[in-house]
Amino acid sequence: MGYITFENVSKTYPNGTLALHDISFSIGEGEFVFLIGESGAGKSTVFRLLTREENPTAGRVSVEGFDLAQLEDRRIPYLRRKIGMIFQDFRLIDTLTVGENVALAMEMIGESPKKIKQRVPLVLSIVGLRRKMSHYPTQLSGGEQQRVCIARSLVNKPRLIIADEPTGDLDRVSTEEIMELMDGLNTGSGKTIIMVTHDPRAARKAHHIRNLDKGVLNSDAHP
Ligand code: ADP
């Protein structure tokens, strides 16, 4: 039994688009898995099923052995709290400082101001941005903005991190830095990581690469 399992999962959107066709895979706790595939292959749909933004049309998605279809709607925020999310376009709020952006993720789940004050500098240290806590996102490079996004994803101590093309808009040097950081979160902190990418350079350190092709999962390729 994996930490995350997809069993014969299909997803057809209401307009009739078949996004995933009978895919099955399992991811163990502490694995670093890359999901690769052309645009439209169904990668984002996999993430939306994991966060319960969408439900499968057929099959079963489970996290820690728990079938997400059984999850009551009011429990969905708890599921999402356990998943750190990193996006290609960062999704930082430009009118808030780096520290405030990270703090917001804790405020949203009702953490105390005292805890927030302790935790925010700590996660910013992990990503090497402790000294830029009072800067605004627009004063940072793309690589630094992505590191803020990573700090924000970590602040509520998730065991799982999902990253959607996190290096898609970054240059080679920043890509290397971000990949080093993600690698450290996996090997050093034991986070389970699923990363979507179409960059083969980024995928070289993965434990497993799953290749999605038009909603169908090709056999597991090892790097
Ligand atoms: P990827 O992330 O690999 O680019 P997606 O999971 O976003 O792929 O999309 C898979 C397929 O499902 C595509 O054909 C896409 O157009 C379609 N699709 C995605 N989201 C929706 C939606 N909300 N409604 C209808 N079709 C969608």
Side-chain angles (χ1 to χ4, degrees), residues 11-20 36-48 54 164-165 196 212 214-215:
K11 174 66 186 177
T12 305
Y13 284 104
N15 68 356
T17 305
L18 180 66
L20 295 176
I36 60 175
E38 301 287 311
S39 175
K43 305 180 299 297
S44 308
T45 301
V46 167
F47 281 175
R48 280 184 223 128
E54 295 286 350
D164 200 349
E165 294 268 3
V196 161
L212 265 177
K214 300 187 187 73

Side-chain angles (χ1 to χ4, degrees), residues 10 41 45 56 67 69 82 128-131 145-146 164 183:
S10 294
T45 301
D67 180 359
K82 287 197 294 185
L129 287 178
R130 172 72 183 80
R131 283 167 51 233
Q145 289 187 52
Q146 189 55 289
D164 200 349
D183 203 41

